[in-house]
Structure formats: C-alpha cells, structure tokens
Amino acid sequence: MLPLRNANLTSLKDVAVPSYDRSDLRAGIVHFGVGGFHRAHQAMYLDRLMNDGKALDWAICGVGVMPADERMRQVLDAQDGLYTLVVKSPDGNLEARVIGSIVEYLYAPDDPEAAIEKMAAPEIRIVSLTVTEGGYNFHAVTGEFMADNPDVRHDLTAGNQPKTTFGLITAAIERRRERGLPPFTIMSCDNIQGNGEVARQSFVAFARLRDPGLASYVAENVHFPNSMVDRITPVTTDEDRDQVRKQFGVEDGWPVVCEPFTQWALEDSFGNGRPPFEEAGVQVVPDVEPYELMKLRLLNASHQGLCYFGWLAGYRLVHEVAQDPLFARFLLAYMEREATPTLEPVPGVDLREYQHQLIDRFSNAQVRDTVARLCAESSDRIPKWLLPVIRRNLETGGDILLSTAIVASWARYDEGVDEQGEPIEVVDRLKGPLTGAARRQREDPLAFIENREVFGDLVENERFVSAYRSVLAGLHHKGARATLEDLVSGIS
C-alpha cells in the first residue's frame, strides 16, 4: 500500500496519475474553500489542461480560513497536494485519477500575512471561491451585506490581522494597488444565482466599510465573472478511503468521490488572463444566467424536494429516494409544472431531457449521496433555490402547490423529530429560531413561515398560505408518504 505523494506516483499501477512534471507547475490561482466539490470540479478541469501540456502556470494554492480547514491542510501537506478523484458510474464502474493541480495549501489563521502576500504576488491572477452560500455574508431576504458580523467587525478594526475571506482578499487587492500590480479576478464557484455579482457586492461593501476609495477601485477594476457549476459530490467517508486503498492500492487521507456528470458554464470576464478553460470542456459563454437558473431551480431545488420528504419517509440515501417511483413523479412534476415555466430557453439544452437526466443522476446508487447532506443549511439554500420559483409563479398566476409543499416538508423536518419519534439532527445557522418556530406550528401553523429573515413577506400572500397550511396539515395527520401520494394524484 503506497502513501499518496510525489515520490510514489510512478509506482502506482491501478490508478491514472499526472502525465506532467509537477515541478514545472506554478501557482496562478489562489482558491478559498478547498473541499470535495472544488477538488471534483475546478481542480479537475485544470488537471485536464495540465495533462495536455497546458495551463502549467495556473496551478492552485489553496487557502483555508475555517477551523475545519486545518485538517485539509494536514492531509494535502502530507500528500504534496495530491488526492484521488473517484468517478462512480451507475453500472458500478469506478474510474480513479490522481489530481495534481493543487501545489500549495495555506491555513490563514496560522499566518494571515502569508496568505495576503501570496495573493499579492504578480503571478496570482485569479482568486477563486467555494465558500458556500453563507460565505458571502449577505442577508437572505434583503441582500444587504451584514456589517454587524463579529468577524467582519474584527477585520475592520485598525491593527487587527484579518481572519475573514473578505479581509484577507481585500488586503491583498490593496497591496497590489500600492505596488502598481493589476488586480486579480475574483471567480466565485458557489451555487448562488449571479454568484459573480453577489461576490462583487459583498467585496465592494466590505471595502467601503474599510476605505471608500478602495471600494471605488474594486468596483471599477476587479472582474467578478458569473458561473454555474454542477457535479454531485458527496462527503468522503471511511468506506471511500477503504475502497481507494483496497481497489487502487493508494493510501489517501482524503479522496473525493463524484458522479460522472460535470458541467461548468463560465462568463468570459477576466481582467488579468485565464486558463484556456474551454479546451477542458468548460462552457465559456457571454451570459451564464440561463444556465445557472436552470441548475438552481431544477437540480438544487429538486434536491430540497426529495430530502425532507425523503428523510421523513425513512430514506437516508439520495438514490433510494430517487428510485422510488412516487418521489420521481413528484420531482418531475415540480420541474415540469412549476420550475421550468420560470426559466428562459437555455442555449444548447433540452430542458425536458435535462429533467429526466436529473432523476437518473439522483438515482446513481454508486455515489451514495446522503439525504442528511441535502437537508443541511436550508436557510441559506431554500431562499435562493426554491423561493424564487414560488415568487415568480405567484406573480404570473402559475402553479405553486408542489414548491410550497417542499417548504412545508422543511418546516415539518425542522421540528426535529421524525414520524417514528426519533430525533432529527437539524444542521442550520438559524437552527434555534427555525426549530423553535417549527415546534409551535401544530398550534400556530404559520409560525415557521413568519420568519421574515428567510421568507420575507410570503406569509402575507393568501394563495401561498392556503397551500402551505394544507400540505403541513397533511404531513402532521397523514405523514410524508401519504401526503406525497395526495399531491401526485391531484395533478395526474
């Protein structure tokens, strides 16, 4: 069994390894949020280019800012930045490749200055982000940057070393300006509609709090391309590590597993150069919005459609839910009747075919994605992925019953007790207020949706409230499966 590191690459026999000389690589990108998705997606695309002898000066330096990132630093340092990417096909076939595009990892809490100086170096031309929906520090309803965040306030206090993504990156932009260097592009790869514009608003808002002149510089000179990213990447398990060890002969502390499908639509808006992403299969386009709305409202919102109902019905793995004909009919009906009417045509995509492809992807038993993963951090996800569908259909007179049912299933899930009386571990930044409200809703059915931070003024809409009350009552009195049966039979 060989530990994964540079010196052992030539000895690995059962897994593909980089064909390029990693000593030739130079970092051109600093990436915040080196998790499973980044390593199954952006880092993989760069590795593709490098295997073709391209983009050798666009390697990645990862940066971690959260306490949990220290473990990633330890693993990647021990493995010279290498990791195994395992693609799991529905037929059980496994395709493994060692990815070599990450050449350095910095844990910012240990040395903020090192992270800032790395970004200030001339060779860094892109700073990219996968920091989750909550990482941009904007209010879910108002969209305003939350200046009262304690970590933001810390970073704005004179003399303090920055510890947020905003503080670190803004300090590097300021340093480059002082040195006469062009700013890097800030490239968001998070699942947020208009992620580049969201990043622009957040960074300009932070810079304005620090120095209005710097904010003007960022607004006028830094490019923030929008992008749509897609690849189902479940959390790595000990079983995955064992499989990599036994089947491929690699001792890897943190491999990544994913589905075969991958997509990246990227706006061609870069201020200081970029890799030839299109040569690795990226759709480099002038306008990302049709692609991102398709993904957010069909794939991401459908994930929410299956996870709460699925958990309450007793399922724990995503493929088990998607393979259930009742759930598949519910999800397809949501996509066809409620989500798709809110979308514009998507160049090169047959939306009906895409919907059925999603059910096939969700049904991939080899990926073993967990329902619990999809249930987490809902207060960051539902307002961005699902509520826009409801609001749009309320405006146009479209159907809202199925999307409203998803909201009701979330409310029932957040009571924290399943249909067998077993506890549910709710994972959400707003767990306290949301769970408290959910536990009152048998007496006060609107308690959950009265949270205006999440739902805004939806509680004032009679059509939404009527549909919500009806589904919630069904969940309480009949249970998840019987409620779904009623919903599906009512639209057949």
Side-chain angles (χ1 to χ4, degrees):
M1 203 65 59
L2 290 173
L4 186 55
R5 58 176 64 110
N6 281 331
N8 293 334
L9 285 177
T10 57
S11 300
L12 297 177
K13 303 302 181 184
D14 298 320
V15 58
V17 300
S19 62
Y20 48 91
D21 185 344
R22 295 187 77 227
S23 67
D24 291 338
L25 299 182
R26 299 292 180 269
I29 299 172
V30 166
H31 182 81
F32 284 75
V34 180
F37 181 77
H38 166 71
R39 294 186 294 147
H41 198 263
Q42 181 187 339
M44 178 277 299
Y45 281 105
L46 286 164
D47 182 76
R48 278 185 184 176
L49 290 173
M50 292 167 180
N51 278 307
D52 288 338
K54 305 167 185 174
L56 300 181
D57 58 343
W58 288 102
I60 299 165
C61 170
V63 175
V65 298
M66 306 298 289
D69 294 332
E70 186 170 12
R71 173 62 180 156
M72 183 63 73
R73 187 269 304 271
Q74 293 169 352
V75 171
L76 290 180
D77 280 357
Q79 298 179 177
D80 300 322
L82 298 166
Y83 61 93
T84 312
L85 179 66
V86 181
V87 178
K88 296 188 171 186
S89 297
D91 62 4
N93 181 60
L94 301 182
E95 179 184 336
R97 170 174 291 280
V98 174
I99 304 295
S101 54
I102 299 176
V103 294
E104 188 177 1
Y105 192 98
L106 302 175
Y107 184 58
D110 281 354
D111 192 349
E113 175 61 26
I116 295 168
E117 189 59 26
K118 184 69 180 181
M119 289 183 283
E123 60 268 21
I124 300 301
R125 288 151 286 167
I126 295 174
V127 171
S128 54
L129 309 166
T130 47
V131 293
T132 77
E133 298 83 2
Y136 294 85
N137 193 50
F138 59 88
H139 194 281
V141 174
T142 67
E144 296 297 320
F145 187 79
M146 295 185 289
D148 58 350
N149 179 305
D151 288 340
V152 168
R153 292 171 61 184
H154 169 276
D155 282 8
L156 292 171
T157 301
N160 283 350
Q161 283 275 33
K163 60 182 181 181
T164 69
T165 302
F166 304 107
L168 293 162
I169 294 176
T170 302
I173 293 172
E174 188 171 37
R175 194 166 297 183
R176 292 176 75 101
R177 182 176 67 159
E178 292 169 350
R179 296 175 181 176
L181 296 173
F184 41 68
T185 294
I186 298 179
M187 182 176 71
S188 171
C189 296
D190 280 296
N191 279 321
I192 305 171
Q193 181 181 345
N195 54 14
E197 187 56 34
V198 168
R200 177 194 301 277
Q201 292 173 4
S202 292
F203 278 95
V204 170
F206 178 87
R208 184 174 295 112
L209 294 169
R210 176 171 168 168
D211 173 2
L214 180 60
S216 297
Y217 176 81
V218 172
E220 294 169 6
N221 295 280
V222 178
H223 287 242
F224 294 85
N226 291 300
S227 68
M228 182 276 271
V229 296
D230 189 7
R231 190 170 218 179
I232 296 172
T233 309
V235 174
T236 301
T237 66
D238 288 338
E239 182 180 350
D240 295 322
R241 293 180 179 88
D242 289 341
Q243 189 171 46
V244 169
R245 186 182 304 115
K246 293 173 182 176
Q247 187 160 344
F248 300 108
V250 179
E251 188 71 42
D252 188 339
W254 210 326
V256 184
V257 299
C258 62
E259 64 169 337
F261 181 91
T262 181
Q263 187 177 16
W264 188 4
L266 177 63
E267 181 184 10
D268 197 1
S269 176
F270 290 79
N272 197 12
R274 64 167 176 83
F277 285 124
E278 60 270 43
E279 297 178 27
V282 180
Q283 295 169 284
V284 180
V285 296
D287 183 11
V288 171
E289 185 177 34
Y291 300 90
E292 65 186 2
L293 289 179
M294 173 189 74
K295 195 250 180 170
L296 295 173
R297 296 182 183 183
L298 295 177
L299 185 151
N300 293 119
S302 292
H303 265 163
Q304 306 311 114
L306 71 82
C307 67
Y308 315 110
F309 274 115
W311 185 279
L312 293 169
Y315 291 121
R316 297 297 177 262
L317 293 172
V318 172
H319 72 267
E320 296 172 339
V321 185
Q323 290 177 5
D324 184 323
L326 173 64
F327 280 83
R329 289 199 301 273
F330 171 72
L331 294 175
L332 282 170
Y334 157 74
M335 288 190 276
E336 292 172 358
R337 296 169 63 93
E338 301 187 15
T340 298
T342 72
L343 302 175
E344 299 294 330
V346 183
V349 178
D350 181 324
L351 288 178
R352 184 173 179 80
E353 180 181 330
Y354 181 80
Q355 293 163 18
H356 287 271
Q357 183 183 47
L358 288 179
I359 301 299
D360 291 341
R361 292 170 63 194
F362 297 164
S363 300
N364 185 341
Q366 302 305 315
V367 173
R368 298 188 68 78
D369 198 4
T370 66
V371 175
R373 181 183 78 87
L374 303 185
C375 290
E377 306 300 346
S378 305
S379 65
D380 285 328
R381 296 174 171 183
I382 291 282
K384 302 175 185 67
W385 301 345
L386 183 69
L387 297 190
V389 172
I390 295 174
R391 293 183 187 281
R392 178 62 176 161
N393 284 326
L394 286 172
E395 292 172 1
T396 62
D399 293 337
I400 64 164
L401 178 60
L402 304 182
S403 46
T404 301
I406 298 172
V407 175
S409 71
W410 173 30
R412 171 63 186 87
Y413 175 91
D414 264 22
E415 291 176 15
V417 179
D418 69 14
E419 293 178 3
Q420 288 70 48
E422 296 297 321
I424 295 173
E425 183 182 358
V426 175
V427 178
D428 197 292
R429 66 182 179 87
L430 297 180
K431 174 181 178 179
L434 289 176
T435 300
R439 289 174 177 170
R440 298 195 309 272
Q441 63 192 358
R442 291 178 189 263
E443 295 75 35
D444 179 6
L446 304 186
F448 192 77
I449 60 172
E450 286 174 343
N451 186 315
R452 290 181 180 266
E453 180 178 353
V454 176
F455 296 102
D457 61 358
L458 278 175
V459 72
E460 298 172 10
N461 186 283
E462 292 183 7
R463 190 153 72 99
F464 172 74
V465 168
S466 176
Y468 176 82
R469 279 181 178 271
S470 175
V471 178
L472 187 63
L475 288 166
H476 283 151
H477 298 299
K478 298 180 181 181
R481 188 170 194 89
T483 299
L484 268 187
E485 288 172 348
D486 288 346
L487 289 166
V488 171
S489 64
I491 60 173
S492 299

